[in-house]
Amino acid sequence: MPYESTTPPHPHRWAALAVLLLAEAMNLLDATIMTVAAPVIRADLGGSDAAIQWFSAAYTLPFAVFLITGGRLGDIVGRRRVFRAGMAAFTLASLACSLAPSTAALIAVRAVQGAAAALIVPQTIGMIRALFDGRELARAMGSIGPVMGLAAVTGPALGGLLTHADLFGSTWRAVFLVNVPLGAAVLLACPLLREDRAARRPRPDVTGTALAVLGTGLVVYPLVQAGALGWPGWCWALLAVGGALLAGFALHQRWRGRYGRSPLVEPSLFRDRGFPAALIASVLFFAAVNGLMLVIAVQLHVGPHSDVLAAGFTLLPWSVAMALSSWTAGAWLVPRYGARVMTAGLLALLAGTVAAAVVYATGRPDSYPWPLLPALAVAGLGQGLYAVPFFTTALHHVRPHETGSAAGLLNAVQQLGGTLGVALLGSVFFHTTTSGAPASAGARNAFCVAAGLVLATAVATAFMRPRQQRSSPQAGPVPGHARTAQHSSHG
């Protein structure tokens, strides 16, 4: 018999859902808008080539490393309270970004934005579950995917439009100012939300958080900086130290779990190879797709000197194809073919990536690459086909008490993969162009590296399911609140 809540329905639950969806869409838009605005910002504020990468990485890195901690804070002090604090910080940081006088100031405030987003996003699923029950809960959860898909599609084009429109002389600053009225509206509507917290409050893991932050920071920083510097020795040293700290984080989590001290990550998730393989596949996959979007925008700015509006609409075929294939996969393909849809998605993504590399290799460096558009559409098709069954398969064998930790960790690793992709592929692009080669050659090399990442994703994906499950066409059901982890596959 299904569980029926004895709590009376919240009278404003649908309006509250709209508030939560707006908050999530704002966080996704803030990542995708920056993709096309970054070259214009660097041209205005100055700075090295690495600054373009840091405009994105400074947001996604703290978002990734504080995401699970943000979820824990909601369990401890209340999800509505943490959500409201995060939204206030995000709105103020957006205003500060729009007023940033220098590259260094903008990067610093972007980091605050990312940390604030890590407070907001983990609370939404918990609060939706506190607002709805039964069939209404399924409807509410099902609304997340389409809203996030719409945000993913409109993000690059909106970034191009806002920057190109130069409203009141704001140029690129409008991409941050748009968050201010939206954030204020969400804050004013917070009383519609129902407070919710975990019945059994975990203790915060300060040491684990510090190890995760330092480890990932020391891995990402040299990846961003090394492209223009030719990989000096200190970059390798920082990578080694960062890797050691992340290994220490893993050991620390196992120790806390053994002694019942509420680790950030449930150690039991690593009892077999399926979930660790999913984490590796997530890092590789989102490194490829997120890094490529930055390379496309920068190449258009540096090579044929296209304006920001052209860069935004160049990414539109990718975004539209990704949204359509995600819907098709979720509604038709995955229920019929299950995890095998991931293979088709990777093949399409690889084909689009290789085709784009050929376009860059054969086209004129100073002209707009029109044949790139269908290649990007094929890549977007592959992204959507892979992302939907990926999250279903990754969470299929997760036990109920592990679901929250698993979904949070997958989201965090996804953001980390995007950060690493921006760092790695951006460094490949800038290292090529600073040696005197045209921007198209840098993009070609970055797409070739991304093709290698897609192939490595295929290898990791092959280990996601136990051997006895590989012949089954169905990926199996997934808990409703974990299924929504796929919503930010474009972010």
Side-chain angles (χ1 to χ4, degrees):
M1 180 177 180
Y3 169 75
E4 297 291 340
S5 173
T6 57
T7 305
H10 193 286
H12 306 295
R13 56 193 179 280
W14 295 108
L17 175 65
V19 172
L20 295 172
L21 293 178
L22 175 60
E24 290 236 1
M26 285 174 62
N27 287 279
L28 179 55
L29 280 171
D30 211 68
T32 55
I33 280 178
M34 178 54 60
T35 302
V36 297
V40 178
I41 297 173
R42 201 282 300 270
D44 184 27
L45 297 182
S48 65
D49 290 336
I52 294 178
Q53 296 158 270
W54 279 116
F55 293 146
S56 294
Y59 178 85
T60 55
L61 180 59
F63 189 10
V65 297
F66 289 118
L67 194 60
I68 299 176
T69 301
R72 290 293 194 190
L73 287 175
D75 291 338
I76 296 170
V77 303
R79 295 186 175 94
R80 185 177 67 175
R81 183 178 300 176
V82 175
F83 176 88
R84 184 162 45 195
M87 181 54 65
F90 185 88
T91 305
L92 291 175
S94 297
L95 178 61
C97 284
S98 71
L99 301 174
S102 65
T103 296
L106 178 58
I107 291 172
V109 186
R110 282 285 285 168
V112 176
Q113 262 194 317
L119 296 179
I120 297 169
V121 171
Q123 318 311 326
T124 56
I125 301 301
M127 286 193 287
I128 289 174
R129 290 177 62 83
L131 289 166
F132 296 95
D133 287 304
R135 293 182 179 179
E136 285 193 344
L137 177 60
R139 288 176 56 195
M141 289 294 185
S143 66
I144 295 179
V147 171
M148 296 304 107
L150 180 63
V153 170
T154 58
L158 181 61
L161 285 171
L162 288 174
T163 305
H164 181 78
D166 193 20
L167 300 173
F168 308 106
S170 59
T171 63
W172 58 267
R173 300 179 188 273
V175 303
F176 297 110
L177 283 172
V178 72
N179 288 331
V180 177
L182 294 177
V186 171
L187 287 170
L188 290 174
C190 275
L192 295 174
L193 306 177
R194 172 176 281 171
E195 184 59 281
D196 181 56
R197 58 171 55 89
R200 179 174 174 266
R201 302 182 189 180
R203 294 182 180 181
D205 184 3
V206 178
T207 302
T209 302
L211 287 171
V213 171
L214 290 174
T216 52
L218 289 176
V219 168
V220 171
Y221 181 78
L223 286 176
V224 173
Q225 298 296 125
L229 299 177
W231 284 97
W234 62 265
C235 287
W236 293 107
L238 289 182
L239 278 173
V241 174
L245 288 175
L246 291 177
F249 169 75
L251 293 174
H252 176 72
Q253 294 301 288
R254 178 172 293 185
W255 175 81
R256 284 183 68 92
R258 182 178 299 171
Y259 291 96
R261 297 194 178 185
S262 300
L264 287 174
V265 178
E266 288 286 346
S268 58
L269 288 170
F270 301 89
R271 67 187 183 275
D272 57 46
R273 69 187 186 187
F275 190 75
L279 296 180
I280 296 171
S282 181
V283 169
L284 295 168
F285 176 76
F286 288 105
V289 297
N290 286 36
L292 287 180
M293 289 183 182
L294 177 71
V295 169
I296 293 165
V298 176
Q299 189 277 331
L300 290 171
H301 182 79
V302 175
H305 302 289
S306 301
D307 62 19
V308 67
L309 192 62
F313 281 96
T314 299
L315 289 170
L316 199 57
W318 183 314
S319 301
V320 171
M322 186 274 296
L324 291 176
S325 62
S326 295
W327 178 81
T328 303
W332 304 99
L333 298 179
V334 174
R336 183 171 182 178
Y337 299 106
R340 288 183 290 180
V341 178
M342 291 191 292
T343 303
L346 288 177
L347 287 174
L349 179 58
L350 182 62
T353 302
V354 172
V358 172
V359 170
Y360 284 121
T362 58
R364 293 179 54 187
D366 57 348
S367 62
Y368 183 85
W370 288 103
L372 183 67
L373 300 181
L376 296 184
V378 173
L381 175 72
Q383 180 182 354
L385 290 178
Y386 180 82
V388 173
F390 167 78
F391 286 102
T392 303
T393 305
L395 295 168
H396 177 53
H397 296 287
V398 171
R399 291 176 290 188
H401 72 278
E402 300 168 334
T403 301
S405 180
L409 186 57
L410 276 174
N411 273 294
V413 168
Q414 172 187 326
Q415 296 297 329
L416 179 59
T419 305
L420 292 173
V422 166
L424 176 61
L425 299 185
S427 294
V428 170
F429 175 85
F430 289 119
H431 180 68
T432 305
T433 56
T434 53
S435 64
S440 57
R444 177 202 63 206
N445 291 349
F447 270 78
C448 288
V449 173
L453 292 175
V454 175
L455 290 173
T457 303
V459 174
T461 301
F463 289 94
M464 283 176 56
R465 291 177 290 161
R467 291 185 179 88
Q468 63 269 24
Q469 295 292 332
R470 293 189 187 178
S471 61
S472 173
Q474 296 296 327
V478 61
H481 64 295
R483 188 182 301 117
T484 60
Q486 68 192 7
H487 78 264
S488 55
S489 63
H490 195 79

